[in-house]
Each structure stands twice: as structure tokens, then as C-alpha cells.
Amino acid sequence: MEDLESSELGTKEFWEQRYDEEISNYENHGDPGEIWFGEDSVERVINWMLDCNISKDFKILDLGCGNGMFLIELARNNFSKLYGADYSENAINLAKAIADKQDYNFINYFKHDILEKLDEKFDIIHDKGTFDAICLSENAKCNRNKYLENICEILNDNGYFIITSCNWTLHELDEQFLSKLIRHETIPTPQFKFGGKVGNVVTTAIYKKK
Ligand SMILES: C[S@@+](CC[C@H](N)C(=O)[O-])C[C@H]1O[C@@H](n2cnc3c(N)ncnc32)[C@H](O)[C@@H]1O
């Protein structure tokens, strides 16, 4: 996996400021903010979970949950053990405000940096755009490895790690994760064709522990 040039999207300051603005928008207009990679990307993952009959009691962590809209959709589908972590305190405050308003205050939101240790295990770890942001940080190579190490620590032996990325192809995600995980499945995403080559706008892949 080639390193990308670092950018402000890889800094905590960027996300704190962004969610500060989104809190104002939410308070003033009721707008919960951006759904990264579109609503379809949420729907595809939830449909996969429903099609596989994933237990409604599975302990599910949304890593880098942002405004928490993925967890809200899971709550709407009666999943009951929901956790959202983000290193931005403003993101956590926004996500809590949105969940409270919709009477989903059983969703457990907490501030956490995935590059730090976490002493808890989950049946599903979901990431949409967080690994992408980490890959734009300074020291990305070291951070990517720490990320993988920590994912393996907190994923239950039979659990699923579901990742949606707009920066990496399936081949590149495999290159990063297959040292410690095995690929279980990919969720088909829209494709485009350019100059005879077919590519995906976003990639969603599901991994399990070896
Ligand atoms: C592109 S946004 C995606 C937000 C959300 N997953 C979504 O799909 O709407 C990336 C998120 O990752 C969070 N993030 C980035 N690095 C993180 C880290 N090391 N630990 C926890 N959260 C992180 C950011 O604060 C931001 O909320």
C-alpha cells in the first residue's frame, strides 16, 4: 500500500472544527450533517447484515462514528447493542444529541482514539471513512499498522470487521489487512468504466480473524 500525501483530513483539529460547525447546523436547522459516501453505502451494509441474519444482540462498534447516522439506522432495524467511538469530542456530542432526539439514547457513544488501546471486545466492528482519514495522517504507515493491531485486539474471534473506503481498492485493502485477517466477503458497490478499465467509487469488504 503506497502512502498518500498527508492532509488536514488526517488531523483531529480538522474534525473537531468540522463537527463544531455541524453541531450549530443541527441546533439551528435540525440537519444532522454529512453521510459520508452517501446513504446507499449505509443501506448496503445493513442489507448485508439483515441478509446474513446477524443477531440483533451482536455487540456492534462503529469506529469513527461521526454523527452516528449508521448506528441510528441499526437502531431503526432493532439492533440493540450499539457503540459509537470517535476521537472528536464534538462528534460524540453531536451523535448523542441526534440519538437523544430520536429516543435512541441506548446507543453508547464514547470518545476514543482507535490508535490507543481499548479494553473491550465486539462482534462487529464497522468503519466507514475512518481508516481513510487515518491514512491521511502524518506517520500514516505506523498508524495503519497500529490500527490493524487494535482492530484484531477488540474483534471477537468469530466477529466481522466491515470496512468501506473511498481511497483504497479491494486489492489495496487486502494488502493492508490480510497479514492478520482473512477476507470473508465483499459487498458489491457501483462501478465505473474509464478507458476500458473497470473501477469502484467505494469499496466495502468484510474480514474475519484468521
Ligand atoms: C470521513 S469521517 C466518517 C464519519 C462516519 N464514519 C460516517 O461514515 O459518516 C471520519 C471520521 O473518523 C474519525 N477519526 C479519524 N481518526 C480517528 C481515530 N484515530 N480514532 C477515532 N476516530 C477517528 C473522525 O473524527 C471522523 O468522524
Side-chain angles (χ1 to χ4, degrees):
M1 195 180 244
E2 293 274 317
D3 276 333
L4 300 172
E5 206 175 305
S6 61
S7 110
E8 61 175 1
L9 271 80
T11 67
K12 191 169 164 184
E13 294 69 35
F14 171 84
W15 292 107
E16 286 293 21
Q17 198 192 326
R18 167 133 194 163
Y19 288 116
D20 188 42
E21 287 161 17
E22 293 204 349
I23 287 173
S24 303
N25 276 338
Y26 182 65
E27 284 172 354
N28 296 327
H29 311 290
D31 171 9
E34 182 146 0
I35 300 193
W36 288 83
F37 315 156
E39 281 174 27
D40 289 359
S41 62
V42 172
E43 213 172 284
R44 278 191 291 268
V45 172
I46 294 185
N47 284 343
W48 178 84
M49 291 171 66
L50 296 173
D51 288 349
C52 298
N53 283 323
I54 294 289
S55 163
K56 301 279 163 135
D57 289 333
F58 262 23
K59 212 170 147 189
I60 302 173
L61 172 67
D62 190 21
L63 203 56
C65 60
N67 57 16
M69 294 312 286
F70 177 70
L71 292 162
I72 296 278
E73 278 310 309
L74 288 178
R76 284 195 183 124
N77 282 278
N78 302 319
F79 288 91
S80 60
K81 294 190 183 146
L82 302 177
Y83 297 77
D86 203 293
Y87 71 174
S88 157
E89 188 150 18
N90 286 333
I92 294 300
N93 289 338
L94 173 63
K96 279 184 178 163
I98 294 172
D100 278 356
K101 183 93 189 278
Q102 306 202 23
D103 279 340
Y104 292 133
N105 37 20
F106 65 89
I107 303 176
N108 302 285
Y109 287 109
F110 60 101
K111 189 179 155 198
H112 176 69
D113 183 338
I114 180 57
L115 303 177
E116 309 284 330
K117 295 276 170 217
L118 178 63
D119 195 16
E120 199 154 351
K121 289 200 183 267
F122 301 90
D123 301 307
I124 290 190
I125 298 174
H126 172 260
D127 173 329
K128 177 159 65 69
T130 304
F131 179 67
D132 285 352
I134 287 170
C135 291
L136 295 171
S137 61
E138 283 186 11
N139 258 332
K141 188 166 186 212
C142 170
N143 291 342
R144 285 196 323 244
N145 292 337
K146 245 191 235 165
Y147 172 94
L148 175 57
E149 222 171 86
N150 290 348
I151 291 284
C152 292
E153 288 270 313
I154 62 174
L155 185 63
N156 271 332
D157 284 348
N158 277 321
Y160 300 95
F161 166 52
I162 307 173
I163 179 163
T164 298
S165 166
C166 77
N167 278 348
W168 303 110
T169 62
L170 181 61
H171 175 73
E172 288 165 325
L173 291 177
D174 279 355
E175 215 182 296
Q176 171 67 15
F177 296 126
L178 290 187
S179 60
K180 295 207 161 144
L181 301 169
I182 48 169
R183 178 144 54 76
H184 175 69
E185 217 174 312
T186 38
I187 298 181
T189 52
Q191 293 193 319
F192 63 91
K193 198 171 175 187
F194 187 73
K197 270 190 116 179
V198 177
N200 291 70
V201 189
V202 289
T203 304
T204 299
I206 299 154
Y207 296 87
K208 295 197 82 172
K209 274 190 174 177
K210 275 188 176 169

